[in-house]
């Protein structure tokens, strides 16, 4: 019995001359359904003595089988730092970039050289450990729908700027992106959900976490859902920040799934201020359009009300004032309550990613017009938190309160597809009596079969989709009588 188990693995490298070395460890305990979500190197948990003992045992195992090339020896490690062999992966692993970052070695190049018969160019004493590296697996899945796969066309795919390598310096702290998808490409249902790996290398663990949070802010993915909000929540979780976690971390802290309230923003008023700032920039551009009727042209204005949705779906009205400061282009002072946000950004209007400074501190966020359910709203995303904000004049806000409430349609009588996928089975027939929890249909997507169950008792009415049909999100499969 292993208490508070961690998944920690040792990277080894062997050549055809019998030389084997280990390249430190990787901490891979942040997992969901036994699939790694975040990996880092080194581990924030084990001691130098444990690291050495694990490395030497991994090397002994590789030598015993005359192993050549890169490989990974995986261990389960208890809270007392006792460790036990799990398996060896005789290949290059997804998370190998974090090892490359802290050692400065190119594992792919070394694998090719070893395969060509060359001896290892370094000894165990030459292996270094510089800084801290973290990798987030960016998956095409919807964390707010229990991580169901998400497929479709990437209408926008703009990774953050890579800063880890440059022509002048062999190695830098910064951001790296490994991916094979592209803007406008298709994410099909036939493959694994991982579409990119986001890697950062920092001076220490705190620096690496800060780099990763900013890089996630700048990762633009549209057309399919992604797990970026979930990654942002994990990175901000106090227990992750302190390194106090094990393989049961996600199951323990997100036992009931992942919800928007699981990503509390440390300064929600900043999102409101950013919406007001961008609205002012759009109004300033509109006021300069020629041909406007005298006396009826667009006025920029300074007093606004930002309307957002509260936790129960109610409208929250926040008065703000926006004014220029220091005569700078692209700079405004936004007052929200007692707080003043001096925001500067020269981001092009219409671009999703917004980079700038707030009160002289750099930030990266995402702002879009008409991207959500409300075509009049700005969708603002930062640090995993997202709001939809209508920025209205004081008169417009008063009138908005008088607008009638439109209740959403009752969809309880329909079984709809929660994801794009292939309908591989319809388990019921028209007229059949079903009970809550009974299997209704099976959808296959991204190497997984997803079973849909009845949420309540009822009688099946019409079957609207056939076995073998490719389904879109929210497409009706059947309806109840």
């Amino acid at each position: 019995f292993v208490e508070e188990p961690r998944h920690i693995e040792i990277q080894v490298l062997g050549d055809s001359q019998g030389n084997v070395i280990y390249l430190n460890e990787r901490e891979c305990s942040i997992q969901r359904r036994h699939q790694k979500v975040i990996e880092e190197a080194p581990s924030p948990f084990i001691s130098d003595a444990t690291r050495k003992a694990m490395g030497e045992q991994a090397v002994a195992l590789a030598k015993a089988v005359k192993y050549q090339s890169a490989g990974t020896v995986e261990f389960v490690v208890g809270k007392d730092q006792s460790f036990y062999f799990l398996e060896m992966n005789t290949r290059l692993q997804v998370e190998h970039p974090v090892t490359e970052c802290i050692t400065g070695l190119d594992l792919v190049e070394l694998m090719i050289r070893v395969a060509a018969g060359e001896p290892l160019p370094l000894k165990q004493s030459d292996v270094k450990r510089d800084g801290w590296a973290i990798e987030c697996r960016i998956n095409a899945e919807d964390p707010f729908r229990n991580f169901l796969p998400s497929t479709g066309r990437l209408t926008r795919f703009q990774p953050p700027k890579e800063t880890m390598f440059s022509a002048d310096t062999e190695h830098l702290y910064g951001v790296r992106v490994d991916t094979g998808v592209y803007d406008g490409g298709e994410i099909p249902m036939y493959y694994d959900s991982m579409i990119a790996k986001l890697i950062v290398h920092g001076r220490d663990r705190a620096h690496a976490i800060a780099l990763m949070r900013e890089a996630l802010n700048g990762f633009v993915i549209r057309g399919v859902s992604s797990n970026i909000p979930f990654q942002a929540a994990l990175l901000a979780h106090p227990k992750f920040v302190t390194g106090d976690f094990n393989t049961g971390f996600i199951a323990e802290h997100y036992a009931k799934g992942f919800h928007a309230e699981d990503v509390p923003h440390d300064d929600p008023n900043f999102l409101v201020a950013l919406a007001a700032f961008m609205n002012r920039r759009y109004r300033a551009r509109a006021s300069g359009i020629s041909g406007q009727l005298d006396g009826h042209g667009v006025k920029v204005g300074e007093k606004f009300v930002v309307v957002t949705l509260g936790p129960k779906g109610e409208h929250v009205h926040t008065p703000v004032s926006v004014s220029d400061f220091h005569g700078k282009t692209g700079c405004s002072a936004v007052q929200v309550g007692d707080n003043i946000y001096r925001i500067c950004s020269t981001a092009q209007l219409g671009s999703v990613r917004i980079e700038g400074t707030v009160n002289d501190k750099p930030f990266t966020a995402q702002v879009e017009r008409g991207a959500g359910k409300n075509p009049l709203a700005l969708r603002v995303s930062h640090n995993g938190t997202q709001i939809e904000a209508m920025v209205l004049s004081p008169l417009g806000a008063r009138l908005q309160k008088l607008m009638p409430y439109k209740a959403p349609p009752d969809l309880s009588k329909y079984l709809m597809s929660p994801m794009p996928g292939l309908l591989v089975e319809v388990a019921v027939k028209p007229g059949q009596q079903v009970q809550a929890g009974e299997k209704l249909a099976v959808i296959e997507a991204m190497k997984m079969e997803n079973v849909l169950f009845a949420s309540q008792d009822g009688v099946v009415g019409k079957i609207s989709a056939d076995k073998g049909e490719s389904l879109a999100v929210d497409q009706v499969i059947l309806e109840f009588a």
Side-chain angles (χ1 to χ4, degrees), residues 99-402:
T99 296
E100 293 186 329
C101 288
I102 67 167
T103 61
L105 300 173
D106 186 328
L107 291 184
V108 177
E109 177 186 347
L110 290 170
M111 288 176 71
I112 294 170
R113 291 188 178 278
V114 165
E118 294 184 18
L120 289 177
L122 72 164
K123 299 177 181 178
Q124 188 63 56
S125 58
D126 299 322
V127 177
K128 65 179 181 178
R129 198 169 82 241
D130 174 29
W132 210 285
I134 299 176
E135 174 181 284
C136 284
R137 299 190 182 198
I138 308 301
N139 296 335
E141 58 191 19
D142 191 342
F144 300 110
R145 287 190 173 202
N146 198 29
F147 298 90
L148 289 174
S150 181
T151 61
R153 185 166 302 282
L154 283 166
T155 55
R156 286 183 190 253
F157 185 78
Q158 299 170 4
K161 183 180 178 182
E162 295 191 77
T163 58
M164 196 177 294
F165 299 95
S166 72
D168 302 325
T169 309
E170 180 184 343
H171 195 261
L172 291 172
Y173 296 130
V175 178
R176 165 179 167 180
V177 181
D178 288 3
T179 187
V181 304
Y182 53 88
D183 199 18
E186 189 81 15
I187 304 298
M189 69 177 75
Y190 309 108
Y191 308 109
D192 186 89
S193 63
M194 189 173 66
I195 56 176
K197 299 186 294 184
L198 181 59
I199 307 104
V200 298
H201 185 204
R203 294 183 299 273
D204 51 33
R205 192 166 186 268
H207 183 218
I209 290 174
L211 284 174
M212 181 62 81
R213 295 189 73 189
E214 199 68 2
L216 288 170
N217 282 336
F219 209 134
V220 179
I221 298 177
R222 298 293 184 270
V224 302
S225 298
S226 80
N227 65 337
I228 286 177
F230 183 58
Q231 298 278 16
L234 291 174
L235 289 162
H237 198 285
K239 290 202 172 238
F240 178 83
V241 172
T242 59
D244 179 16
F245 54 81
N246 54 62
T247 54
F249 179 84
I250 290 176
E252 176 186 351
H253 295 286
Y254 302 96
K256 296 182 179 179
F258 181 69
H259 309 282
E261 53 268 26
D262 293 328
V263 202
H265 200 279
D266 54 2
D267 186 6
N269 282 339
F270 168 64
L271 303 179
V272 172
L274 189 55
F277 168 79
M278 290 305 297
N279 176 74
R280 181 181 174 85
R281 288 198 59 198
Y282 277 113
R283 290 186 66 83
R285 182 178 68 175
S287 69
I289 296 175
S290 61
Q292 299 188 46
L293 188 64
D294 288 344
H296 296 276
V298 174
K299 293 181 173 60
V300 177
E302 291 193 354
K303 299 292 184 182
F304 299 95
V305 176
V306 179
V307 183
T308 56
L309 290 179
K312 296 181 180 179
E314 74 280 10
H315 285 112
V316 178
H317 289 65
T318 307
V320 301
S321 63
V322 190
S323 57
D324 293 333
F325 75 97
H326 298 325
K328 292 183 179 179
T329 303
C331 292
S332 296
V334 184
Q335 183 164 355
V336 185
D338 295 331
N339 299 322
I340 296 178
Y341 300 86
R342 294 179 175 84
I343 302 175
C344 290
S345 176
T346 57
Q348 185 176 354
L349 292 178
S351 62
V352 176
R353 186 162 52 217
I354 307 296
E355 296 175 334
T357 60
V358 53
N359 296 336
D360 298 323
K361 294 181 179 179
F363 76 89
T364 303
Q366 296 182 26
V367 181
E368 296 170 274
R369 285 206 298 182
K373 297 179 181 179
N374 185 346
L376 301 177
L378 289 170
R379 185 165 67 184
V380 182
S381 306
H382 182 255
N383 283 353
T385 301
Q386 180 175 290
I387 65 168
E388 286 194 16
M390 286 192 297
V391 186
L392 305 175
S393 66
L395 174 59
R398 290 197 299 273
L399 296 175
Q400 191 272 336
K401 288 183 177 181
L402 303 176

